[in-house]
Amino acid sequence: MKHLAGILALVVGLALPLLSPGEFYLSIATQILVFGLFAVSVNILAGFGGMVSLGHAGFLGVAAYSYAILVNNHGLPPIMAAIATLLIGALVAAAFGLIALRTKGLSFLMITLALGQIIWGVAFRYTSLTNGDNGISLPIEALLATSPHGRYYLCLAVLVLVLLALAIFVRSPFGAALNGVRDQPRRMSTLGYNIWAIRYIAYILSGTTAALAGILYIQIFRFISPHALSLTASSEGVLMVISGGIGTLLGPVVGAGIVVLLKNVASAYTDRWPTLLGIIFLFIILVMPEGLLPGTKRIAARLFSRLATRRATAAPYVAQSQEAR
């Protein structure tokens, strides 16, 4: 059933540009893919590693700024700029991991927030490089894909490949060790596992995935400013993961769809869309505390179980009535 659902989702994703009534809705679908990838990066750390980060938008911003500067200021071709940007994102994640993983729990949450705010401050104040609050714009020829359909399929392909790699990663021995470190770190340490090294590798993978999302972010918006690195952006990433289903593969993408749709569609009808988002999030926490995707599966399984029980209970009476006839 899981494979069937994944194939169906892929088919819908491939056919969506053909079914879209206009470029506006195609743009929203592309944003869902990009922010879904960003939420997946948060989920690698929070869902599988048990470490919640409030500065993850910093990796997205570093990648987006790096790509824009390499293309605009240094004249690198888009593909070369994307590869260099991914390496820069991995190096920044490796450096920040050395600092952040000196702590755990609430201290880890606060230090990731501080690191994210440092990046935001550099982007806001280093105007000679980042242009400050005015941001950096990209010409159309500096993009990896110049058409809206091309950018959509690029984002879809990257997201699918990342999800497939993550599915393999979760089922690998290292993925099992990461889950063990999340649930029973003291026991894993007793068994001889290097807790810090496992968390460090997970942090680098998470930051690199966020950097990949940053490369796609600059492709669809063609603009980057300090707003994309703010605490609000990082908090939205955590909200996407929690609302969709923390520790699941597709849950963060579903959560990203909810947030993006509310920001782009509901905001066109009301300025109070954050209130609506808060109400939806409160409903998910109360009714489906495990997240929207796992909660829906649980409710559907319960309904099917009750239906099967009723059919089993009614079967003898149906047989008796048939014999009486």
Side-chain angles (χ1 to χ4, degrees):
M1 291 298 295
K2 290 182 179 179
H3 291 103
L4 182 61
I7 294 174
L8 181 61
L10 179 60
V11 171
V12 172
L14 291 172
L16 190 60
L18 304 177
L19 305 175
S20 176
E23 287 191 4
F24 172 74
Y25 295 98
L26 181 61
S27 173
I28 292 177
T30 309
Q31 291 182 44
I32 292 174
L33 296 177
V34 173
F35 287 107
L37 180 61
F38 175 65
V40 167
S41 72
V42 177
N43 189 43
I44 293 174
L45 204 60
F48 302 113
M51 300 172 287
V52 180
S53 170
L54 279 179
H56 234 59
F59 299 118
L60 183 146
V62 165
Y65 271 111
S66 298
Y67 182 91
I69 292 170
L70 289 174
V71 171
N72 282 352
N73 298 359
H74 300 281
L76 260 68
I79 296 179
M80 294 297 297
I83 296 173
T85 297
L86 199 60
L87 293 176
I88 292 172
L91 291 175
V92 172
F96 279 14
L98 294 175
I99 301 172
L101 291 176
R102 295 173 64 89
T103 60
K104 58 182 179 179
L106 184 60
S107 299
F108 178 85
L109 188 74
M110 297 307 297
I111 201 169
T112 55
L113 170 61
L115 291 172
Q117 290 302 103
I118 289 173
I119 297 179
W120 176 86
V122 171
F124 188 78
R125 294 294 183 182
Y126 197 2
T127 55
S128 61
L129 182 66
T130 65
N131 205 23
D133 200 32
N134 294 322
I136 302 177
S137 300
L138 280 184
I140 189 69
E141 59 270 12
L143 304 180
L144 292 169
T146 56
S147 67
H149 286 73
R151 289 192 289 272
Y152 172 84
Y153 283 118
L154 172 65
C155 296
L156 178 63
V158 172
L159 179 60
V160 169
L161 290 176
V162 169
L163 289 176
L164 289 175
L166 184 58
I168 297 172
F169 168 77
V170 170
R171 291 167 175 80
S172 68
F174 183 83
L178 182 61
N179 288 332
V181 169
R182 176 195 62 193
D183 298 331
Q184 296 289 341
R186 186 175 299 178
R187 183 174 296 178
M188 294 294 290
S189 178
T190 305
L191 292 173
Y193 287 90
N194 190 327
I195 305 300
W196 185 89
I198 292 173
R199 287 174 172 169
Y200 184 60
I201 294 174
Y203 192 94
I204 295 176
L205 290 175
S206 177
T208 305
T209 306
L212 187 58
I215 296 174
L216 298 181
Y217 179 95
I218 195 70
Q219 303 298 314
I220 64 172
F221 290 106
R222 294 173 52 197
F223 177 78
I224 182 64
S225 71
H227 175 72
L229 290 72
S230 65
L231 174 60
T232 302
S234 296
S235 302
E236 287 179 354
V238 176
L239 179 63
M240 293 171 187
V241 173
I242 296 175
S243 60
I246 188 168
T248 62
L249 289 176
L250 293 178
V253 182
V254 175
I258 295 173
V259 174
V260 172
L261 287 173
L262 285 174
K263 288 178 65 175
N264 289 275
V265 178
S267 61
Y269 298 96
T270 176
D271 294 332
R272 301 183 183 276
W273 67 267
T275 304
L276 181 59
L277 178 60
I279 293 173
I280 293 175
F281 184 62
L282 183 62
F283 170 80
I284 293 173
I285 292 299
L286 293 176
V287 180
M288 304 175 181
E290 67 271 53
L292 190 61
L293 194 61
T296 303
K297 291 180 180 178
R298 173 176 56 82
I299 294 175
R302 183 178 299 177
L303 290 176
F304 282 120
S305 178
R306 288 182 178 179
L307 183 60
T309 303
R310 289 181 181 179
R311 287 181 177 178
T313 305
Y317 298 100
V318 174
Q320 290 178 5
S321 63
Q322 290 177 352
E323 290 178 358
R325 291 179 182 177

